[in-house]
Amino acid sequence: MDRRFKPGDKVRVIQRSQPGHVRTPMYVRGKAGVIERVVGSFPNPETLAYGQSGLPYKILYRVNFMQKELWDDYEGKPDDSLEIEIYEHWLEAN
Amino acid sequence: MNENTHDHTHATHTHDGKPIQNDDRPPIEAETLETAVRELLIDKGVISAEEIHREIEMKDGKGPELGAKIVARAWVDEEFKTRLLTDGDSAVLDFGIDMRPTELCVVENTDEVHNMVVCTLCSCYPRAILGIPPAWYKRRDYRARAVREPRSILSEFGTVIPEHKQVRVHDSNADLRYLVLPQRPAGTENLNEEELAELVSRDSMIGVSDIPS
């Protein structure tokens, strides 16, 4: 499968409201991060969860965010970070 | 399973004499649904009560001792450690663990980085390696605060991370399951793999604690 992003690429999580079994938590939507690695292709949980096939498979990435990007008032240290798995259809180039 | 099959009840005690809490709240919708689906599957012969029972026993039988063995192996065997960090699924096959359909992601604590794991959306956890997650791992306050104020949560576990160290939180939200490889404590050079495994706590593999020297 074609992969739109590679490790080190700057990305932004799409800010989108979508009901259902969505694995993109609200707190990362609209936030900018960096691709840590490409995990592989997996069934799409947004349809798999409802007894469907999960096809077409979606590319899954691990994305690293600086905590300061996620929370304006983050009280930890400046280089504290968070990593989370995001499917390609939730990411745009930044 | 079905309480009605239990031929007598013990409202105020268990057989070992400890007080029990009466489960008198009404079942939540999901419990009613689970009972209905389970009974239907059994009635229609899709699965048997025995199979369900065996699966529960198998799941309950897994515990963090398995994870501790994996950590100890990584501490003493550099080649295994490299494999564990780069291809966790293949490494844990050595211990008879099959991660499918999920994938294992092992993150290493170092002098520069402290890793901790949370599942903000539900309670994803490397059950094949650590067994059933602790109750606090599933609670809303841990799940919300671990991503928002990790250092504060860590200090409540007695884990104070020095300022120069990065705290990296892993939100286990999709297809990976995370295991933290804790730092080997100082002064353990003379211990063998088995002795090292005894030092490794469950919480150190979730990343909410370190292993004391």
Side-chain angles (χ1 to χ4, degrees):
Chain A
M1 274 175 87
D2 285 343
R3 292 155 182 199
R4 274 181 65 203
F5 306 108
K6 60 180 188 308
D9 283 359
K10 291 180 178 173
V11 291
R12 186 175 290 278
V13 181
I14 292 169
Q15 177 73 61
R16 167 168 74 208
S17 292
Q18 181 180 324
H21 188 252
V22 170
R23 305 304 297 180
T24 307
M26 296 299 290
Y27 74 91
V28 296
R29 295 190 199 177
K31 303 294 183 183
V34 173
I35 301 287
E36 190 260 335
R37 72 177 169 98
V38 186
V39 181
S41 54
F42 289 86
N44 182 359
E46 292 159 22
T47 57
L48 188 70
Y50 301 99
Q52 299 169 33
S53 65
L55 293 169
Y57 281 19
K58 299 288 182 185
I59 304 286
L60 183 66
Y61 299 89
R62 260 165 66 73
V63 184
N64 183 284
F65 297 90
M66 300 314 293
Q67 288 279 23
K68 291 273 185 199
E69 163 74 7
L70 297 177
W71 319 102
D72 290 339
D73 58 349
Y74 183 70
E75 286 180 348
K77 301 302 160 210
D79 61 349
D80 284 357
S81 70
L82 178 137
E83 287 181 6
I84 185 167
E85 298 149 53
I86 307 289
Y87 297 93
E88 193 169 84
H89 62 291
W90 278 92
L91 291 173
E92 58 191 9
N94 182 37
Chain B
M1 313 226 177
N2 189 335
E3 283 183 8
N4 298 330
T5 61
H6 197 61
D7 58 4
H8 63 294
T9 56
H10 310 276
T12 57
H13 70 282
T14 57
H15 283 293
D16 59 5
K18 291 185 183 140
I20 57 170
Q21 209 176 335
N22 279 322
D23 195 11
D24 52 7
R25 65 169 173 79
I28 61 171
E29 193 183 335
E31 288 170 323
T32 309
L33 183 66
E34 184 274 328
T35 306
V37 172
R38 170 163 43 80
E39 289 180 353
L40 267 173
L41 289 170
I42 293 170
D43 281 351
K44 291 184 178 294
V46 179
I47 45 174
S48 69
E50 173 59 24
E51 282 172 307
I52 294 172
H53 174 67
R54 244 198 332 263
E55 188 70 18
I56 292 171
E57 275 207 328
M58 199 261 288
K59 286 213 155 66
D60 281 350
K62 288 219 166 78
E65 304 80 29
L66 200 48
K69 282 183 189 167
I70 294 168
V71 167
R73 174 75 53 84
W75 284 345
V76 300
D77 180 343
E78 200 60 34
E79 184 273 334
F80 176 78
K81 179 177 152 182
T82 305
R83 217 151 42 90
L84 187 66
L85 293 171
T86 54
D87 185 1
D89 284 17
S90 126
V92 299
L93 272 180
D94 292 6
F95 291 82
I97 299 167
D98 184 351
M99 292 299 296
R100 287 176 301 177
T102 55
E103 277 186 27
L104 179 63
C105 179
V106 179
V107 289
E108 182 184 18
N109 282 353
T110 65
D111 289 339
E112 288 79 39
V113 179
H114 179 93
N115 297 283
M116 70 181 281
V117 182
V118 61
C119 171
T120 57
L121 294 177
C122 43
S123 58
C124 296
Y125 189 76
R127 290 169 190 245
I129 296 176
L130 298 182
I132 305 287
W136 55 259
Y137 185 84
K138 298 187 261 188
R139 277 174 52 160
R140 274 174 192 271
D141 55 355
Y142 176 76
R143 288 159 46 211
R145 292 181 59 215
V147 292
R148 187 84 174 78
E149 41 178 327
R151 285 178 186 263
S152 163
I153 282 264
L154 285 166
S155 71
E156 288 166 28
F157 278 94
T159 310
V160 178
I161 306 298
E163 295 213 356
H164 65 270
K165 216 183 235 206
Q166 180 191 145
V167 170
R168 194 178 292 157
V169 178
H170 300 269
D171 189 348
S172 180
N173 65 321
D175 295 291
L176 296 180
R177 295 295 175 268
Y178 296 86
L179 182 74
V180 174
L181 176 58
Q183 283 186 288
R184 179 172 174 168
T188 58
E189 295 75 16
N190 297 325
L191 300 186
N192 66 28
E193 190 177 326
E194 206 172 303
E195 291 163 334
L196 285 168
E198 285 173 19
L199 303 178
V200 183
S201 65
R202 175 196 67 198
D203 289 0
S204 73
M205 293 181 280
I206 306 173
V208 292
S209 69
D210 284 319
I211 301 170
S213 298

